[in-house]
Amino acid sequence: GINTAIQLQVGRDTIDGAKMAIDEINAKGGVLGRKLEMVTADEGESPKEGVASVNKLTGDKNVNVLMGGYDSGVTLAELPHISRAQTIFLGTGSASPAIQAKVKEDYANYKYIFRVNPLSSAIQAADLLKFMTDNLKAQKGYTKISILGENAKWVQDMVPYLKKNATAAGIEVPFAEFFDPQTADFSPIFAKVKDSGSQFLLTILSHAASDVFVKQWYDAKVPVPIGGIDVKSMDTNFFTRVGGKAVSEVTTNYIVRAPLTPSTIQWWDNFEKLYKRAPVYTATGAYDAVYVYAEAVTRAKTTDTDAVIKELEKTSYTGPRGKVEFDEVHELKSGPGFINVLYVQWQPDGSRVVVWPKEIATGKMIDPPWLVKN
């Protein structure tokens, strides 16, 4: 069962990434001699829709496993219903640490919950801090960095964490604020950034109108580069969608056409061939989730939920993003040898290059066109 925000690119790619894996596995005979089948339900971006989608899939459709999720607030609302249905859930889109915290708080009732994708926002925050200190400060020489995050569940702990630890690392943070995701006019924010003397604006966006934000930043020629997390800017058509105004924006990602693992480039090319578009991060997360589940069932020699959970906890699977393993609260592991956050920057021709971590960088960071010195 796939519960995701079907109207968004992240949702469509969740479905197509899962279908890609299902077709591959079925072509080889399926799992335990049975073919995998997929049923979808639109969880939208509201808790009410999310709960309805979970109840439909676990009740009416009686699925063996759930995969999906996008909005952390929606996923948190779904968890009691997933627990009540005693159905395994492999998260492929939501990032709040509060989701996996349920496993630690009450393992008996929430042992069903695993995060396959993305890395939790706590891990992302630690990685953003490293990007600020080791790249923006050490490599670019930026010592004044402001932080702007949308007011959403998965972001609320990140901004104060980043401000506190960046300051401790010798970076001045002129301001660190939240904004309403419904904001349509960012000019007051950009004026504040300019007046603050900031050298870089670290952004954390997902549900906000990223298209509007980037267009207004470009049109105002704000004298400050931008970058951080911008989920909608992970879309491969984002650059075209904003008329090229995303040039030089840096955004985190988990999958690009680069040799992250031996299977990455082949997987990317296969996805493009099948669906006539490049994938976003949820595509490979869902693809991996199907394989992780299929391998756990194969090892367990049954689809019995408790037996499969025990095998999921032993998972060590390398897919297009890297190695998938879970910690004691079923959180996706990160770091050397596992899944890592990539920092990718839009180039003037609409292509993207990895600029951080430096050991897998495919290009160097560029400045916005209006800040380039002749």
Side-chain angles (χ1 to χ4, degrees), residues 43-64:
E43 70 172 14
E45 294 182 81
S46 75
K48 183 178 179 180
E49 290 177 282
V51 169
S53 72
V54 164
N55 289 339
K56 173 186 175 182
L57 292 171
T58 58
D60 299 347
K61 302 300 181 181
N62 194 30
V63 300
N64 295 95

Side-chain angles (χ1 to χ4, degrees), residues 18 27 31 41 45-46 96 126 183 222 257 269 274 307 321 335:
V31 179
E45 294 182 81
S46 75
S96 174
T183 299
V222 180
R257 194 182 184 280
D269 291 346
L274 283 169
R321 297 173 301 153

Side-chain angles (χ1 to χ4, degrees), residues 78-91:
E78 294 170 348
L79 294 187
H81 301 269
I82 295 171
S83 171
R84 192 175 304 120
Q86 298 183 347
T87 303
I88 293 167
F89 173 69
L90 303 181

Side-chain angles (χ1 to χ4, degrees), residues 102-119:
K102 291 288 187 180
V103 180
K104 183 177 182 179
E105 294 166 7
D106 187 356
Y107 180 86
N109 282 315
Y110 291 99
K111 60 188 176 183
Y112 313 97
I113 312 302
F114 292 77
R115 193 193 325 266
V116 179
N117 183 68
L119 294 171

